[in-house]
């Protein structure tokens, strides 16, 4: 029998949007995965990488994934005081899902950065990667980049074509800051949460 496949979707999710959800769902479907685990990145107080707090990003990710019983959200990286590294997260997941194949999902922009990830050499032994297409990133160049990473590190990185949505969290934050609409770029409930809690406004820089 084939072993179970688990997808890992890492990100800041500041905020989560339809670009994230569509790629997670596409991977779930095309790879016949058991589930996709969304893992919002931690936000150590001394090095603030995100605009919204960890708890707000965690809540928004839960709201956005609520209606899909194959989407899960993990707080494993958020609860850490220190910076959390993917390698540590993967080691924990490997313990929990001993026999599963773990696939880490990344957008084309993130693939370029992979070799700079802390302990990447070990990471690529613990999981496989699925690189999904993203608007503004040339698929041919991404293919070459993937090949060059495989040549050096071995391991498995597959390119997956997904419906491309030109949406980014940065764009959504800018729109909200400038009182422009972000409707239909992210789930309505997440947009409502942002408005209700006054996230990404002028005072939140
Ligand atoms: P920001 O603008 O703040 O960087 P983002 O939209 O890139 O936000 P992240 O949380 O940084 O979102 O991304 C998490 C993962 O999702 C990354 O691997 C990223 O490449 C991927 N991703 C995000 N948006 C898209 C999209 N529209 N299409 C394909 N992949 C995406
Ligand atoms: Mg990004």
């Amino acid at each position: 029998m084939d072993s179970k496949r688990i997808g890992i979707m890492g990100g800041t999710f500041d905020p989560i949007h339809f670009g994230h959800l569509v790629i997670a769902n596409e991977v779930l479907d095309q790879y016949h995965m058991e589930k996709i685990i969304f893992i919002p990145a931690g936000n150590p107080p001394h090095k603030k990488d995100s605009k919204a707090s960890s708890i707000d990003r965690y809540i928004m990710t839960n709201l956005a994934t609520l209606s899909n019983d194959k989407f899960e959200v993990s707080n494993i990286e958020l609860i850490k005081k220190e910076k959390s590294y993917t390698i540590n997260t993967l080691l924990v997941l490997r313990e929990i899902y001993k026999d599963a194949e773990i696939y880490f999902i990344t957008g084309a922009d993130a693939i370029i950065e992979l070799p700079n990830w802390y302990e990447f050499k070990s990471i690529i032994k613990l999981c496989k990667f699925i690189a999904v297409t993203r608007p503004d990133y040339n698929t041919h160049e991404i293919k070459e980049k993937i090949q060059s990473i495989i040549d050096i590190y071995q391991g498995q990185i597959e390119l997956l074509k997904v419906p491309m949505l030109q949406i980014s969290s940065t764009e959504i934050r800018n729109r909200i800051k400038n009182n422009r609409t972000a409707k239909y770029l992210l789930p309505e409930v997440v947009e409502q949460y942002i408005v209700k809690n006054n996230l990404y406004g002028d005072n939140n820089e």
Side-chain angles (χ1 to χ4, degrees):
M1 200 188 89
D2 285 351
S3 53
K4 286 180 181 165
R5 295 169 163 185
I6 309 276
I8 305 298
M9 181 77 201
T12 322
F13 305 125
D14 192 18
I16 188 163
H17 53 68
F18 283 135
H20 300 126
L21 294 167
V22 87
I23 65 179
N25 194 50
E26 200 63 21
V27 170
L28 181 74
D29 180 58
Q30 294 210 33
Y31 281 76
H32 308 290
M33 297 227 167
E34 190 77 0
K35 61 179 169 186
I36 306 286
I37 308 174
F38 289 72
I39 308 187
N43 188 14
H46 52 280
K47 188 176 173 294
K48 207 162 176 277
D49 286 330
S50 65
K51 302 286 180 218
S53 68
S54 298
I55 188 81
D56 282 332
R57 292 182 294 107
Y58 181 64
I59 291 171
M60 290 189 284
T61 308
N62 271 286
L63 289 172
T65 54
L66 198 61
S67 62
N68 192 325
D69 60 8
K70 294 201 167 180
F71 285 175
E72 223 176 78
V73 186
S74 163
N75 64 2
I76 180 169
E77 296 199 354
L78 293 173
I79 54 176
K80 292 204 170 156
K81 285 210 175 62
E82 70 281 13
K83 184 166 172 53
S84 43
Y85 290 103
T86 303
I87 180 71
N88 298 328
T89 303
L90 278 171
L91 287 168
V92 173
L93 294 173
R94 265 267 145 264
E95 272 303 301
I96 300 172
Y97 303 104
K98 284 198 170 64
D99 302 319
E101 281 181 87
I102 298 179
Y103 286 82
F104 201 103
I105 308 159
T106 57
D109 54 319
I111 278 299
I112 299 164
E113 290 298 321
L114 277 190
N116 301 329
W117 287 16
Y118 176 65
E119 291 279 357
F120 179 66
K121 247 173 130 167
S122 311
I123 290 175
I124 191 115
K125 292 196 179 83
L126 290 172
C127 69
K128 297 169 182 171
F129 279 88
I130 300 174
V132 301
T133 48
R134 186 169 188 174
D136 299 335
Y137 292 86
N138 181 302
T139 306
H140 182 70
E141 277 173 28
I142 297 300
K143 266 188 191 158
E144 285 184 351
K145 182 68 194 172
I146 289 174
Q147 195 51 55
S148 75
I149 296 174
I150 293 172
D151 288 345
I152 299 170
Y153 298 95
Q154 279 86 50
Q156 197 172 324
I157 307 173
E158 292 168 13
L159 183 71
L160 180 70
K161 284 194 182 147
V162 296
M164 288 207 255
L165 297 180
Q166 194 146 27
I167 305 173
S168 71
S169 304
T170 303
E171 163 82 11
I172 292 172
R173 290 195 303 271
N174 286 337
R175 279 171 178 250
I176 290 164
K177 195 173 158 198
N178 296 309
N179 293 315
R180 288 182 55 214
T181 178
K183 249 190 195 336
Y184 312 122
L185 301 178
L186 71 175
E188 199 166 9
V189 64
V190 176
E191 196 195 344
Q192 288 167 340
Y193 185 88
I194 291 170
V195 172
K196 187 165 183 185
N197 294 283
N198 189 26
L199 307 182
Y200 311 125
D202 259 343
N203 305 328
N204 289 296
E205 269 307 280

